[in-house]
């Protein structure tokens, strides 16, 4: 470098940076040109190999038995935080009894009084969807206490419908008296705010003679064994949920005198997340189709030969293939799959089409008199290098994000 007076001077930091970037562009462009030469030489092999590779990865990933992770504690609690450490100690080292899996049923009649014989009968009918599910007895025997504890109004009758029918029959007065007792049939103190919804009077520990006048819901809580106690408890819970949801739908159609059933279980949130994810998949496909049409419209020309409409669809197909490969690789290596991962296709289709427009723009700036080979070489040298640098920036940014202590953020960046 020379100064205004003709004297040599050392290059400034900005000039050194510009020179370094220029050299890096040259190296990256040269490498990309080598790849493009191979693609031009073996176009069919490149297309077939890419299709097999990308969709093969997603196929293997889907068959690897991945599952959607939706536990908020696992997703958002920082790694090695005190809550995680303490919870692991309680589960693994404390020796305390494990916390059972909950399974809750709520029977109501859209705001009408549930303090009736028919309301109690509906409660016992709802309990059958859990207790009649195959594997219930085995699951309960596998728990540490040897049975599934049931807390609800049914406990006044020892959770036995036959006992209810013997003691109450169809007598409304006897039904009200039985449900108003201060202790269950096994002598344990009853808590109205745990087993009834909007009970009147609502007293945490009712005393003898304090008769209920109305309740708006009966709540039944089953305590199921943990996965450590019974490995098939999740499958049993899923079957029981299906049975209860079928009963809920049947009641909603007027199957039991206007009563309604609500159900919630340990795996309900995960099931709903999986259902929502499945519902969003068509939206992802719609996004690809819409963006493909947009890209074809932008690049297309009213010319039977020079139109680039198919190039626009090809760009979207390439993004779809790369997205499939990325998902497949993540599933194969055991990367947890969360709802946040569903954001990626929308990000990738936008970023990918930006790159496609850059390349087509660079190609349009080449000399039409040159050969197609030379024009592709020039396009990839200029546009490809710029895209590679921005891609490297994204890799570094997401790589730093993968070191985040919040698991959901880390997994998303990976």
């Amino acid at each position: 470098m020379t100064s205004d007076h003709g004297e040599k001077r050392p290059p400034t930091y900005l000039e050194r940076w510009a020179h370094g970037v220029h050299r890096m562009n040259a190296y990256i462009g040269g490498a990309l040109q080598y790849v493009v030469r191979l693609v031009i030489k073996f176009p069919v092999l490149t297309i077939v190999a890419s299709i097999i590779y990308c969709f093969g990865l997603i196929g293997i990933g889907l068959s690897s038995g991945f599952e959607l992770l939706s536990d908020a504690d696992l997703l958002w609690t920082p790694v090695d935080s005190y809550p995680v450490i303490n919870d692991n100690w309680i589960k693994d080292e404390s020796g305390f009894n494990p916390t059972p899996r909950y399974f809750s049923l709520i029977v109501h009649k859209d705001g009408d009084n549930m303090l009736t014989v028919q309301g109690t009968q509906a409660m016992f009918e709802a309990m059958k969807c859990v207790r009649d599910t195959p594997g219930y007895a085995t699951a309960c025997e596998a728990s540490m206490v040897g049975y599934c504890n049931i807390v609800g109004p049914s406990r006044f009758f020892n959770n036995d419908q036959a006992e209810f029918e013997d003691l109450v029959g169809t007598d409304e007065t006897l039904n009200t008296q039985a449900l108003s007792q201060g202790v269950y049939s096994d002598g344990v103190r009853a808590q109205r705010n745990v087993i009834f919804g909007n009970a009147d009077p609502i007293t945490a520990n009712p005393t003898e003679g304090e008769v209920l006048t109305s309740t708006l819901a009966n709540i039944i809580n089953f305590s199921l064994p943990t996965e450590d106690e019974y490995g098939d408890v999740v499958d049993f819970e899923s079957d029981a949920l299906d049975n209860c949801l079928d009963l809920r739908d049947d009641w909603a159609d007027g199957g039991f005198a206007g009563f309604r059933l609500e159900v919630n279980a340990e795996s309900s949130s995960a099931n709903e997340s999986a259902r929502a994810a499945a519902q969003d998949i068509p939206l992802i496909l719609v996004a690809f189709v819409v963006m493909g049409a947009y890209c074809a419209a932008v690049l297309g020309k009213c010319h039977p030969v020079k139109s680039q409409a198919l190039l626009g669809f090809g760009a979207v197909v390439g993004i779809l293939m790369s997205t499939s490969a990325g998902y497949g690789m993540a599933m194969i290596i055991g990367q947890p799959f969360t709802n946040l991962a569903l954001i990626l296709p929308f990000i990738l289709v936008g970023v990918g089409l930006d790159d496609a427009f850059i390349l087509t723009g660079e190609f349009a700036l080449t000399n039409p008199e040159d050969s197609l080979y030379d024009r592709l070489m020039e396009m990839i040298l200029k546009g490809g290098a710029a895209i590679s640098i921005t891609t490297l920036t994204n890799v570094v940014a997401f790589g730093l994000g993968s070191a985040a202590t919040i698991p959901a953020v880390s997994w998303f960046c990976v």
Side-chain angles (χ1 to χ4, degrees):
M1 298 294 178
T2 58
S3 65
D4 294 337
H5 302 287
E7 299 177 353
K8 289 187 176 181
R9 61 174 178 80
T12 64
Y13 288 109
L14 183 59
E15 290 170 340
R16 291 177 180 177
W17 172 261
H19 180 67
V21 171
H22 179 73
R23 292 186 63 182
M24 184 168 61
N25 283 344
Y27 291 140
I28 294 175
L32 292 175
Q33 284 181 329
Y34 175 76
V35 175
V36 171
R37 289 190 190 99
L38 293 178
V39 173
I40 294 174
K41 188 175 181 180
F42 307 103
V44 177
L45 178 61
T46 300
I47 294 174
V48 173
S50 298
I51 292 175
I52 294 176
Y53 175 76
C54 294
F55 291 113
L57 281 179
I58 188 64
I60 296 173
L62 291 172
S63 63
S64 64
F66 83 99
E67 59 180 300
L68 185 68
L69 183 62
S70 61
D71 189 328
D73 291 336
L74 295 177
L75 287 175
W76 303 109
T77 305
V79 178
D80 294 332
S81 62
Y82 281 112
V84 173
I85 295 173
N86 293 339
D87 186 60
N88 290 337
W89 182 86
I90 291 173
K91 291 179 179 178
D92 302 331
E93 301 180 31
S94 67
F96 296 137
N97 288 343
T99 302
R101 297 174 66 91
Y102 70 87
F103 195 110
S104 301
L105 301 175
I106 300 176
V107 181
H108 64 96
K109 202 174 183 181
D110 288 334
D112 290 344
N113 186 15
M114 284 289 296
L115 194 64
T116 63
V117 171
Q118 196 173 37
T120 307
Q121 291 172 340
M123 173 188 65
F124 279 109
E125 189 68 23
M127 293 173 63
K128 291 179 181 178
C129 69
V130 179
R131 302 171 84 174
D132 290 352
T133 300
Y136 175 77
T138 304
C140 293
E141 290 173 0
S143 68
M144 182 168 291
V145 294
Y147 60 91
C148 291
N149 190 39
I150 303 175
V151 178
S154 60
R155 196 168 177 178
F156 289 113
F157 310 102
N158 201 30
N159 297 313
D160 186 353
Q161 186 173 5
E163 184 171 329
F164 158 73
E165 293 173 351
D166 290 341
L167 293 176
V168 174
T170 59
D171 193 313
E172 296 289 352
T173 301
L174 292 177
N175 181 71
T176 300
Q177 291 176 348
L179 296 178
S180 300
Q181 296 180 82
V183 295
Y184 298 119
S185 59
D186 55 6
V188 176
R189 177 70 64 178
Q191 292 181 301
R192 289 181 180 173
N193 57 343
V194 173
I195 61 176
F196 295 118
N198 292 322
D200 185 23
I202 180 168
T203 307
N205 294 301
T207 58
E208 296 294 342
E210 200 170 26
V211 178
L212 287 168
T213 58
S214 67
T215 63
L216 299 187
N218 291 339
I219 307 169
I220 308 99
N221 291 302
F222 290 81
S223 296
L224 301 178
T226 64
E227 289 187 75
D228 292 335
E229 294 174 317
Y230 183 56
D232 294 331
V233 67
V234 176
D235 293 334
F236 164 78
E237 187 177 283
S238 177
D239 293 340
L241 269 174
D242 290 340
N243 293 337
C244 292
L245 292 176
D246 289 342
L247 182 63
R248 181 196 65 180
D249 294 340
D250 181 59
W251 283 12
D253 294 334
F256 199 91
F259 287 95
R260 299 287 184 266
L261 174 63
E262 314 298 338
V263 56
N264 190 30
E266 190 88 14
S267 58
S268 291
S269 296
N271 292 343
E272 285 300 302
S273 295
R275 181 186 61 81
Q279 289 181 338
D280 287 342
I281 290 177
L283 182 61
I284 296 174
L285 298 178
V286 169
F288 276 96
V289 171
V290 170
M291 295 307 295
Y294 169 76
C295 195
V298 171
L299 299 178
K301 300 175 183 177
C302 295
H303 193 282
V305 177
K306 296 182 179 181
S307 176
Q308 296 178 324
L310 288 179
L311 180 62
F313 277 109
V316 174
V317 171
I319 297 169
L320 176 62
M321 291 171 57
S322 62
T323 303
S324 301
Y327 277 133
M329 183 64 72
M331 295 173 187
I332 291 172
I333 65 176
Q335 184 70 20
F337 192 83
T338 69
N339 282 341
L340 290 178
L342 295 176
I343 302 174
L344 285 176
F346 301 100
I347 297 176
L348 295 178
V349 73
V351 174
L353 287 182
D354 285 345
D355 296 342
F357 288 132
I358 291 174
L359 290 177
T360 54
E362 289 292 342
F363 184 81
L365 294 176
T366 59
N367 188 355
E369 301 298 328
D370 293 341
S371 67
L372 178 61
Y373 177 85
D374 291 337
R375 296 182 70 185
L376 289 174
M377 289 298 105
E378 184 179 349
M379 174 198 73
I380 203 67
L381 180 63
K382 296 179 179 179
I387 291 172
S388 298
I389 292 176
T390 58
T391 301
L392 179 61
T393 303
N394 293 334
V395 170
V396 172
F398 281 104
L400 293 174
S402 67
T405 58
I406 298 177
V409 176
S410 176
W411 295 334
F412 173 76
C413 291
V414 171

